Amino acid sequence: SQTIHQWPATLVQPVGSPLSLECTVEGTSNPNLYWYRQAAGRGLQLLFYSVGIGQISSEVPQNLSASRPQDRQFILSSKKLLLSDSGFYLCAWSVRRVADEKLFFGSGTQLSVL
Amino acid sequence: AQKVTQAQTEISVVEKEDVTLDCVYETRDTTYYLFWYKQPPSGELVFLIRRNSFDEQNEISGRYSWNFQKSTSSFNFTITASQVVDSAVYFCALSEGGGYNKLIFGAGTRLAVHP
């Protein structure tokens, strides 16, 4: 069966420090991968998606970047964190990249930038 | 523009009560998909249901039921005889047909079921 792992679960970082969040998927090949952010009291916002190794699409301009160095690994990074980067970050995957496809989510990373 | 509105921020009920979570959406597409996801305290979102715009049949799955009405652009979710394990944040989402699965999420409704 397929599983998705995301770490760390909680992270507290000072403003201006770098960030690296990692997500890996097991039990499937060539998944479509996504990074979402959930701000307090708001819905999830799609940040990045990837259809393959090295292929990253950004949905919103921001202080973050994503990379996919391996088929089932998706990394969210920042060189210098801002206060506004605080939030709950969720990694997700899907089999297909079509409109009716459901997503499978990781357990998320709560990031607090102080 | 696409938009999903979940007007109820928080709902609190006592166990065994029925509860309905509202979802209103906006889209110009004739082909679209609607979803409900559940986010328990553990954090991960869990898929509950998917509906396409051409299928207005209501669906029932155990204690869960969904009412899709295109005339009012609503896709409401009802939990019958609620249980403490139903406590979670519930998200309604919209995906427009013809493209990839870019989900537009509502802000979520936090449901607290008390014993």
Side-chain angles (χ1 to χ4, degrees), chain B residues 1-5 23-27 94 96 104-106:
Chain B
Q2 315 159 48
K3 187 178 178 182
V4 176
T5 302
C23 173
V24 175
Y25 62 92
E26 295 177 29
T27 178
L94 165 72
E96 291 184 335
I104 304 299
F105 284 87

Side-chain angles (χ1 to χ4, degrees), chain A residues 34 36 38 41-44 46 49 59 88 90 94 96-103 105-107, chain B residues 33 35 37 39 42-45 47 50 91 95-103 105-108:
Chain A
Y34 311 83
Y36 279 86
Q38 181 180 6
R42 301 177 65 179
L44 280 72
L46 178 63
Y49 68 90
E59 285 295 307
F88 190 60
L90 284 156
S94 70
R96 302 176 304 159
R97 190 172 151 258
V98 292
D100 66 340
E101 188 75 354
K102 63 183 179 182
L103 298 180
F105 286 85
S107 54
Chain B
Y33 303 88
F35 301 77
Y37 284 84
Q39 185 180 37
S42 53
E44 79 284 7
L45 273 74
F47 168 82
R50 167 185 53 216
F91 290 96
S95 177
E96 291 184 335
Y100 69 94
N101 53 339
K102 178 181 176 181
L103 290 174
F105 284 87

